[in-house]
Amino acid sequence: MNNKAAIFFITLLVGCSAAITADIYVPSFGSMAEELETNLDMVQWTLATYLLGLSISQLFYGPLSEGIGRRKILLVGMIILLAGSVICFISPIIEGIMLGRFIQGIGAGAGAALWRTIFRDSFEGEELSQYFGYVGVIVSFVIPATPTIGAYLQTYFGWRSNFLFLSLYGL
């Protein structure tokens, strides 16, 4: 794989992390509520806490990446995403899941904030347009496929497998 293809692939994976992390566990809401002995409303709040972390973090990642560098910020973001996923995977209570989801959102914000900038730093002109076109096609498949993958994981391995998958993805 040449250097530009590697940059494209890694940036795509990191860029999709926010969407994948947001949606993969949605089919597991009912099972989570049952196992955690809480109501469905509380489980749905975990999505809101994720989106809050994602939104807030993007305000900081862009400026920090200008001063520190994009690679370091992306690595920090993925480590934070990994930490949040592990918390969700091991948490026995809904409040722990909420905390883990907030942390996941903070981590996923790095990819959401920086993937376009990394593309603009790495490609230009027609090549940039070509790679953005590839992203459009790939994302149009990834976003609807994510809950389907989560449903399969939920069905065969239980709801926690979604967070194990996200831990491995973050790693």
Side-chain angles (χ1 to χ4, degrees), residues 124-154:
E124 55 187 43
E126 193 171 313
E127 189 178 44
L128 177 64
S129 298
Q130 180 183 13
Y131 280 112
F132 269 127
Y134 293 152
V135 168
V137 171
I138 292 167
V139 167
S140 70
F141 287 102
V142 168
I143 291 176
T146 299
T148 305
I149 293 167
Y152 278 108
L153 290 170
Q154 152 67 37

Side-chain angles (χ1 to χ4, degrees), residues 2 26 29 39 47 51 63 70 74 117 129:
N2 69 34
V26 171
F29 278 7
N39 60 46
L47 184 56
L51 293 173
R70 305 207 201 298
L74 280 175
T117 306
S129 298

Side-chain angles (χ1 to χ4, degrees), residues 100-114:
R101 291 292 289 162
F102 182 73
I103 292 170
Q104 279 182 322
I106 291 171
L114 299 178

Side-chain angles (χ1 to χ4, degrees), residues 25 29 42-50 94 97-98 101:
Y25 80 120
F29 278 7
M42 291 298 289
V43 176
Q44 290 173 342
W45 272 104
T46 64
L47 184 56
T49 58
Y50 168 80
I94 190 64
I97 304 289
M98 284 187 184
R101 291 292 289 162

Side-chain angles (χ1 to χ4, degrees), residues 1-83:
M1 182 180 299
N2 69 34
N3 192 34
K4 293 205 181 229
I7 290 169
F8 171 75
F9 182 70
I10 291 168
T11 305
L12 181 66
L13 285 175
V14 172
C16 287
S17 65
I20 291 170
T21 306
D23 294 338
I24 195 165
Y25 80 120
V26 171
S28 300
F29 278 7
S31 296
M32 290 174 69
E34 186 178 321
E35 185 177 320
L36 297 170
E37 298 176 355
T38 189
N39 60 46
L40 195 54
D41 293 337
M42 291 298 289
V43 176
Q44 290 173 342
W45 272 104
T46 64
L47 184 56
T49 58
Y50 168 80
L51 293 173
L52 179 64
L54 180 72
S55 301
I56 292 170
S57 69
Q58 291 183 65
L59 297 171
F60 301 100
Y61 283 128
L64 284 172
S65 75
E66 291 295 324
I68 298 172
R70 305 207 201 298
R71 182 170 185 227
K72 289 178 184 174
I73 294 299
L74 280 175
L75 289 172
V76 167
M78 294 310 288
I79 290 168
I80 294 170
L81 174 70
L82 172 62

